[in-house]
Amino acid sequence: MGDRTFGYSAQTRPFLWVFLVVTPLEILLVEFIVPWFWLRAVLLAFGVLSALLLGWQLWMLYKFKHEVDDEHLWLRYAREFEYRIPLSAIESVTQGTTSRTLGRTRSVVDGTLVLEISNSTNVSLRLNAPQEVDLGRRGAHDVTKIEFWTDDPDGMARALRK
C-alpha cells in the first residue's frame, strides 16, 4: 500500500448515508401499509439487499482511496477501476475545479483521462509521455493528461511534487 492516501468520496458519502438510514424506515412503512404478506416479504428482501449494497459501496469508497507511494500514483474508484501512473511520467500538477457532464465515472476526452466525481475534477496532471489506460468495453486509450477529483487537492499536489 502507498505512503499517502487521499479520499475522493466526500461529496457522495452523505447521500449514501441518507439512503442507508432511510431504507429501514422504508421497510417499516411498507410493513404498515401493504396488506399482502407475499408483497411485504418481497419488498423486505429488496430493502435488505438495498441496505447491504449501500453499506458495501460506503465501505469500498473508504477502503480503496487514491494513493501516492515512492514510485506511483494509484487512481481508484472503489473496485470499479484502478490506474497506476508512474510518478516519473508526471510532468506537471495543477489544481482547479473543472465541471463536465460526461455521465461516466471515467472517460477519455481528447487524450485526457477524466475521472469525475459529481461531474467535477479538481486536480490535473500533464504527462511527459503517453500512458495507456483501459476503459474496459470502451477499449484502451493513450492519454497525455489526467483530470481527477480528490477531497484534498492541496495535499495531493504536495505529494505529487515531492
Side-chain angles (χ1 to χ4, degrees):
M1 286 302 202
D3 300 323
R4 294 151 290 199
T5 61
F6 298 90
Y8 48 81
S9 61
Q11 292 178 322
T12 56
R13 266 193 327 260
F15 295 108
L16 293 173
W17 278 109
V18 165
F19 285 114
L20 191 61
V21 169
V22 168
T23 297
L25 298 174
E26 180 182 284
I27 291 170
L28 185 62
L29 187 62
V30 165
E31 281 296 316
F32 290 124
I33 293 176
V34 177
W36 305 285
F37 173 78
W38 67 269
L39 184 56
R40 286 196 320 261
V42 168
L43 294 175
L44 174 65
F46 280 125
V48 169
L49 180 61
S50 174
L52 289 173
L53 289 174
L54 286 167
W56 176 80
Q57 181 69 19
L58 280 164
W59 181 79
M60 296 299 268
L61 292 173
Y62 172 77
K63 175 80 173 150
F64 297 98
K65 299 178 180 180
H66 300 320
E67 292 186 41
V68 179
D69 63 22
D70 291 335
E71 296 179 20
H72 297 96
L73 164 64
W74 301 81
L75 296 172
R76 299 180 171 108
Y77 184 78
R79 293 288 291 171
E80 185 178 330
F81 61 78
E82 176 178 270
Y83 295 113
R84 183 181 67 175
I85 309 300
L87 296 179
S88 61
I90 299 173
E91 184 175 303
S92 64
V93 179
T94 56
Q95 294 173 246
T97 302
T98 304
S99 294
R100 301 175 189 248
T101 49
L102 300 174
R104 296 177 183 257
T105 308
R106 60 184 173 157
S107 299
V108 173
V109 179
D110 298 327
T112 301
L113 174 63
V114 181
L115 307 175
E116 294 182 316
I117 299 292
S118 298
N119 297 323
S120 299
T121 62
N122 61 2
V123 176
S124 178
L125 309 176
R126 180 150 318 274
L127 305 175
N128 55 28
Q131 297 289 312
E132 184 178 280
V133 296
D134 185 6
L135 297 182
R137 292 183 303 210
R138 291 180 283 148
H141 301 268
D142 285 334
V143 298
T144 56
K145 188 175 177 185
I146 301 172
E147 295 178 4
F148 63 97
W149 179 269
T150 180
D151 297 337
D152 181 11
D154 294 328
M156 176 64 81
R158 280 192 306 276
L160 292 174
R161 289 181 182 135
K162 286 185 177 185

